[in-house]
Amino acid sequence: MENPFGIVLLVVAGIIYKIYQSYKEEQAKAKKRLEELKRKHQTVTDYPEFEQKKQPERRPAPVIREERRPAPVIREERRPAPVIREERKPEPASELPDEVKRLQTQNQQRRNENLKGKLKRLEPVQVEELDKNEHFDLRQAVIQQAILNRPYQD
């Protein structure tokens, strides 16, 4: 064995050549088949019984003009126009009566008192510090949570 690479290359080239030759043969056969089909198609139409009959010329139908009557007018029901309400703007403070002014101030004071009662000053929350000797055991906490959250069984 003089050169194994050269021998492998020759074998691969031979296989490729064979594939190419068979491809050319198939193309030639396909070309012959197409030509035969074309000849058969032409011979079929050569016979008078298979010819397509000529269709008579068609003339467009005469246009008949119809006299159009106007469409009947549909009267819409007349509805009364919607009433537009005018919004009254608050009167300036100078035009309000004394009694109204007094009631407004009383209402404002009540609102302020209610708000003051609801709002509380936040006091800092005292956090219990863990003793230095105590340590948090995550494993134990997860086990206890699973026990507490287990489904109820009869």
Side-chain angles (χ1 to χ4, degrees), residues 11-29:
V11 171
V12 170
I15 294 172
I16 292 175
Y17 182 73
K18 284 283 190 179
I19 293 172
Y20 178 71
Q21 287 294 335
S22 64
Y23 172 76
K24 283 186 113 184
E25 290 174 5
E26 290 295 323
Q27 290 296 324
K29 288 178 186 177

Side-chain angles (χ1 to χ4, degrees), residues 37-146:
L37 284 174
K38 285 181 184 177
R39 275 189 247 136
K40 286 181 183 178
H41 183 66
Q42 288 174 354
T43 55
V44 168
T45 56
D46 287 344
Y47 296 108
E49 59 217 28
F50 291 111
E51 278 185 30
Q52 295 178 356
K53 295 181 181 177
K54 293 183 180 179
Q55 296 180 354
E57 293 180 21
R58 293 187 179 181
R59 295 182 185 167
V63 178
I64 300 173
R65 294 186 181 171
E66 294 182 16
E67 195 173 306
R68 294 191 177 192
R69 297 180 186 162
V73 178
I74 300 172
R75 294 184 182 176
E76 295 181 14
E77 295 179 19
R78 294 193 179 200
R79 297 180 183 167
V83 178
I84 300 173
R85 296 181 182 173
E86 293 182 14
E87 293 183 21
R88 293 184 181 178
K89 295 181 180 178
E91 298 177 14
S94 60
E95 297 177 9
L96 292 176
D98 292 334
E99 187 176 330
V100 173
K101 289 180 186 177
R102 185 177 48 81
L103 287 174
Q104 285 180 348
T105 54
Q106 285 178 356
N107 287 339
Q108 187 65 32
Q109 287 174 356
R110 281 189 207 142
R111 282 188 215 127
N112 289 340
E113 289 172 4
N114 287 340
L115 286 176
K116 286 179 184 176
K118 290 180 181 178
L119 295 177
K120 295 179 181 178
R121 291 192 174 221
L122 297 177
E123 296 177 6
V125 178
Q126 295 178 359
V127 179
E128 295 179 15
E129 295 183 17
L130 295 174
D131 292 336
K132 293 183 181 178
N133 296 334
E134 262 185 67
H135 67 281
F136 179 75
D137 188 9
L138 179 63
R139 181 175 177 268
Q140 189 64 29
V142 170
I143 292 170
Q144 289 175 356
Q145 182 182 7

